[in-house]
Amino acid sequence: MTSFSANSRNSDNDPRQVVFVVYPDIVLLDLVGPLQVFSHALDPETGANGYECAVTSFESGMVETNTVISIPSEPISSYLKRRIHTLVVVGGDGANTAMRDRALLEKISKLASTAQRVCSVCSGALVLAATGILDGRRAVTHWDDCKTLEEEFPAVQVEIDPIYIKDGHVWTSAGITAGMDMALAIVAEDLGRPTALQVARSMVTHMARSGGQSQFSPTLNRQLLDATGRFESLHQWIAENLKLNLGVAVLAGRVNMSARNFSRLYSRQMGLTPAKAVEAIRTEAARNLLETTDLGMKQIAAQCGFNDEERMRRAFMRLLNVSPSDYRQGIRAA
């Protein structure tokens, strides 16, 4: 795939072309949330619109959404020979049909081949994955579609907790409103953080949402994956003993299993390794302390078993795409 600078355009005075791809039965907010973010963003150097947005579909015309409102669209084919800055594939229940529409996927692949940035919102990741663009990349989607994404496209490295993921020039976002978080992050990358903050302020939202960057409660997600409750008591014990050495051997001993067998069964059941599960539980505990206390970063890192601030910061960046200090700042702003 051709690679471009995220800020390159045909001319310094041209707005960045953003092309949204829709199909029948999309989630309306998957489209209009990011669309509104890009439409609000002004280039700090010129004061003009930073982006020029277009909504496209395979056949063009009015496209039904999951609401009473239908969306007008242009034909995808009219953008195949244009220089696209950011391509965004929207999500919705219709993604399950769209991801098997070979003609639509071919058009999306052609657009993506020359786009400087390729994105998906919510279950739009299923459509993007069907083109092969997500092969070998980290990706996220709506929590209810993560299992489908993982099973249908095993070459994709599916993650559950992040609200959005940037892997090279490819971005994916979690459920529905997460598309706005992703769009704000894109604006920050293109036009600078002050511009993104100004957009967030005008839309009465936050760069770092209160209540967590995770698209879904990690605790509840563990309960959904562990439907039989096989590891429920183990998860509770981990949460109560974060300062301990929580290696595989220790965890296996808690459930009376060999380390090898435990690691295999746990990974198969929960969709992540025991080490990553411990990191997620520690991060969740740290989030709670950031939200509810004035403890310093060093104290929180120690209480949650990270041992040092840098290790905690890396965990936050991997799982939440935000540093602990920025997370707390977002909470206080809220």
Side-chain angles (χ1 to χ4, degrees):
M1 181 174 292
T2 307
S3 176
F4 301 95
S5 164
N7 285 304
S8 63
R9 288 163 284 170
N10 292 333
S11 166
D12 289 341
N13 296 321
D14 291 340
R16 297 158 180 80
Q17 179 71 66
V18 180
V19 174
F20 290 87
V21 175
V22 299
Y23 42 81
D25 204 14
I26 62 164
V27 169
L28 182 60
L29 193 54
D30 279 10
L31 169 65
V32 299
L35 177 60
Q36 198 67 65
V37 170
F38 290 125
S39 298
H40 265 63
L42 301 180
D43 191 312
E45 295 182 1
T46 65
N49 290 337
Y51 300 92
E52 179 179 318
C53 299
V55 179
T56 68
S57 66
F58 185 77
E59 296 182 346
S60 74
M62 302 301 291
V63 177
E64 293 183 355
T65 72
N66 66 336
T67 72
V68 297
I69 298 174
S70 294
I71 298 294
S73 66
E74 302 177 58
I76 287 180
S77 57
S78 65
Y79 284 85
L80 292 179
K81 295 183 179 181
R82 299 193 195 183
R83 188 173 176 83
I84 298 173
H85 186 272
T86 299
L87 175 67
V88 184
V89 179
V90 175
D93 288 342
N96 292 290
T97 299
M99 72 180 193
R100 306 183 195 285
D101 186 335
R102 303 313 307 174
L104 173 62
L105 296 177
E106 182 181 352
K107 288 288 194 298
I108 292 175
S109 294
K110 288 181 179 179
L111 288 179
S113 68
T114 57
Q116 298 169 38
R117 181 189 289 119
V118 181
C119 312
S120 65
V121 180
C122 193
S123 56
L126 296 172
V127 182
L128 206 55
T131 68
I133 292 170
L134 297 185
D135 286 359
R137 296 185 184 275
R138 297 169 56 236
V140 67
T141 185
H142 190 286
W143 61 266
D144 200 30
D145 294 305
C146 282
K147 186 175 182 180
T148 300
L149 181 60
E150 189 172 43
E151 292 178 348
E152 292 278 350
F153 307 102
V156 181
Q157 300 172 28
V158 182
E159 297 188 16
I160 296 174
D161 282 341
I163 204 160
Y164 65 84
I165 291 175
K166 175 188 176 184
D167 189 331
H169 74 295
V170 178
W171 299 58
T172 54
S173 67
I176 309 178
T177 56
M180 297 173 65
D181 296 80
M182 180 181 71
L184 285 167
I186 288 172
V187 171
E189 181 172 275
D190 291 344
L191 304 178
R193 184 173 174 82
T195 298
L197 286 169
Q198 185 177 25
V199 173
R201 191 177 300 116
S202 71
M203 296 180 66
V204 198
T205 188
H206 299 280
M207 288 291 292
R209 278 193 277 176
S210 62
Q213 295 291 310
S214 175
Q215 62 173 309
F216 196 63
S217 165
T219 299
L220 187 52
N221 184 62
R222 283 193 294 273
Q223 293 172 352
L224 288 170
L225 291 172
D226 187 23
T228 63
R230 183 173 193 172
F231 299 113
E232 183 177 357
S233 60
L234 176 64
H235 292 147
Q236 182 63 34
W237 182 84
I238 292 172
E240 294 172 353
N241 295 275
L242 295 176
K243 293 182 181 181
L244 298 181
N245 173 13
L246 300 175
V248 171
V250 174
L251 301 182
R254 291 293 305 180
V255 292
N256 299 314
M257 297 173 65
S258 69
R260 182 178 179 180
N261 193 38
F262 165 71
S263 183
R264 178 177 60 82
L265 290 177
Y266 187 92
S267 298
R268 186 173 64 187
Q269 176 78 31
M270 302 302 298
L272 75 171
T273 66
K276 288 186 177 297
V278 169
E279 181 182 64
I281 294 173
R282 282 179 167 147
T283 301
E284 185 178 5
R287 282 172 48 185
N288 291 335
L289 291 176
L290 287 169
E291 293 171 9
T292 60
T293 75
D294 291 321
L295 291 175
M297 297 297 168
K298 186 175 182 179
Q299 291 173 289
I300 293 175
Q303 285 198 24
C304 296
F306 286 110
N307 297 326
D308 62 74
E309 296 176 59
E310 177 57 24
R311 186 178 173 191
M312 182 171 74
R313 189 194 69 80
R314 291 197 300 267
F316 266 68
M317 294 303 298
R318 273 194 297 271
L319 297 176
L320 307 178
N321 287 305
V322 65
S323 69
S325 57
D326 284 346
Y327 182 87
R328 172 171 272 175
Q329 184 179 5
I331 296 297
R332 288 178 174 175

